[in-house]
Amino acid sequence: MGQHSCCNKQKVKRGLWSPEEDEKLKNYISTYGHGSWSSLPRFAGLQRCGKSCRLRWINYLRPDLKKGNFSSEETELIIELQRILGNRWAQIAKHLPGRTDNEVKNFWNSAIKKKHISQNLFDQAPFSNLSRSNSNFPQYSEFNQVYIPTQPPSPVQGIDFGEFKADQLSHSAIMLTTSPSSAPACPLGYLPQFIDRQQQILRPEDYSIVSSDQYPFFATNKLLDQNPSTMLPVLPKVLESIAGSSNFPSERLYANDMLASSDDIEYIKPIMPACSTLSSSSMSQTSSASSFSLSQLPCSGTMFVNPSLPPRWVP
DNA sequence: AAGTTCGCCAACCGCACGGGC
DNA sequence: CGCCCGTGCGGTTGGCGAACT
């Protein structure tokens, strides 16, 4: 590895900056300004190359830097700007006062990128534009590496959800929604579901309540069924179902990181059979977990989930 | 409690670009 | 015009602490 031209004239230190070095750099720049970065280290008495000094100042010592986590507004802005500008981090950072390109880039690579991949999978799914144009479709913001809805869809507004512990669920939940065969315009459901890894809490905004024009049910996936006690974030899944199909799931099941085959169907089963208003026929079908038909589910309704009550299906 | 894995982020590296000569 | 140098940018690395086994 060759050294940069500004660093090869003298022996320079590398690696993390010590507090003493920070102090020297800060004092020098606050007194004289940075001037020429290449000559700064010599005048400031630092055994660093100018490039390293510049980076340290811009990314860490600058007084106008904003410290702390990115807000949801900043996150949304980064996602939007990245979509428009691509990986032009310096350009993106200019729209975020007090944030550096390096910080934005790191944030993207660590926190947003993974979610974006799963979001892209969702975007690629057929008919996804229909769901996204639906006013009931949840909005998303960043939370610990997964997209989550920030507000429940309109049918459940006004209901006090509060928090409830993930372990109150018999399984970690993924909710898959699909359309009735009689509603060909709404063939796609989407589930944003998430369990906070740190707090082990399923937050009220983390589960999705479907609106009246969709069929809801809750399901576990294969992996969680194998390790039901393991609290893992449940990544978004998209169920693709062809309009007019009466059997579920007749087509493919997409997960963020895998394309499940129809062999996985047996692992998809409802976890909340206590949905008391489901008809007994559909209950027995769904509880058996092997297969069931959309036509056996109620035609329309809303699933209410409340920490103090059993899940409730309101036709 | 100890070892291992994972994720974050500060820092480095190479390259591109522009200005001066 | 071509070379050199300084600066800025984006990709990548590696150290370190947290989480996990």
Side-chain angles (χ1 to χ4, degrees):
Chain A
M1 287 293 175
Q3 287 188 332
H4 191 257
S5 59
C6 76
C7 306
N8 57 12
K9 292 174 184 169
Q10 59 192 58
K11 193 180 167 189
V12 293
K13 194 183 162 199
R14 291 155 184 254
L16 293 179
W17 281 63
S18 69
E20 292 74 27
E21 287 177 309
D22 280 347
E23 200 57 29
K24 276 185 183 176
L25 182 60
K26 212 158 44 175
N27 287 342
Y28 182 85
I29 292 178
S30 58
T31 307
Y32 305 106
H34 62 73
S36 165
W37 286 111
S38 59
S39 54
L40 182 147
R42 192 158 30 98
F43 293 130
L46 287 160
Q47 301 278 319
R48 295 271 180 177
C49 74
K51 201 170 181 174
S52 180
C53 293
R54 176 184 161 271
L55 210 63
R56 185 63 178 171
W57 175 257
I58 288 174
N59 288 337
Y60 193 80
L61 297 175
R62 242 170 55 195
D64 58 331
L65 283 180
K66 190 194 276 186
K67 312 265 177 163
N69 296 336
F70 283 79
S71 66
S72 55
E73 289 77 16
E74 287 176 312
T75 304
E76 284 168 21
L77 187 56
I78 290 169
I79 292 168
E80 181 63 11
L81 288 170
Q82 200 278 342
R83 191 181 61 79
I84 297 166
L85 299 169
N87 292 359
R88 295 161 71 183
W89 306 117
Q91 291 295 313
I92 293 171
K94 283 176 185 169
H95 293 85
L96 296 145
R99 302 294 190 182
T100 69
D101 55 346
N102 207 38
E103 200 178 7
V104 171
K105 178 175 58 184
N106 282 336
F107 181 60
W108 176 269
N109 286 332
S110 63
I112 303 179
K113 203 173 182 176
K114 292 166 200 161
K115 289 179 312 203
H116 223 60
I117 290 167
S118 44
Q119 181 71 5
N120 284 342
L121 259 179
F122 168 66
D123 286 341
Q124 288 160 12
F127 313 111
S128 60
N129 58 326
L130 293 173
S131 290
R132 275 156 80 77
S133 62
N134 183 338
S135 61
N136 288 330
F137 195 77
Q139 295 178 357
Y140 294 87
S141 68
E142 185 244 344
F143 181 77
N144 200 3
Q145 304 184 7
V146 199
Y147 278 99
I148 58 166
T150 55
Q151 60 186 33
S154 54
V156 294
Q157 279 174 0
I159 291 179
D160 180 21
F161 281 94
E163 288 183 346
F164 71 101
K165 300 282 182 184
D167 62 11
Q168 291 175 336
L169 292 171
S170 55
H171 295 70
S172 301
I174 290 182
M175 185 171 75
L176 302 168
T177 69
T178 185
S179 66
S181 56
S182 58
C186 189
L188 183 76
Y190 173 68
L191 174 66
Q193 190 61 266
F194 180 72
I195 292 172
D196 184 324
R197 285 180 89 165
Q198 275 76 45
Q199 299 177 43
Q200 304 264 301
I201 287 172
L202 187 61
R203 308 179 344 156
E205 62 267 40
D206 294 342
Y207 42 82
S208 176
I209 315 296
V210 298
S211 59
S212 59
D213 60 351
Q214 294 172 303
Y215 280 109
F217 55 90
F218 292 82
T220 56
N221 71 3
K222 189 174 182 176
L223 293 175
L224 287 170
D225 265 358
Q226 288 172 342
N227 300 286
S229 62
T230 307
M231 303 311 294
L232 291 171
V234 180
L235 298 166
K237 284 198 165 198
V238 173
L239 174 68
E240 181 190 348
S241 162
I242 301 302
S245 164
S246 59
N247 293 317
F248 165 78
S250 60
E251 303 301 325
R252 292 167 293 171
L253 176 68
Y254 287 104
N256 69 313
D257 57 353
M258 62 180 172
L259 175 61
S261 71
S262 56
D263 296 340
D264 290 328
I265 290 172
E266 62 182 305
Y267 294 100
I268 302 164
K269 55 189 177 186
I271 61 163
M272 294 190 179
C275 299
S276 57
T277 56
L278 286 171
S279 71
S280 56
S281 60
S282 59
M283 280 294 295
S284 61
Q285 289 292 323
T286 53
S287 296
S288 72
S290 54
S291 65
F292 38 92
S293 167
L294 282 175
S295 61
Q296 292 172 318
L297 291 170
C299 289
S300 65
T302 301
M303 181 76 78
F304 291 96
V305 183
N306 185 300
S308 59
L309 297 169
R312 194 158 50 94
W313 171 257
V314 180

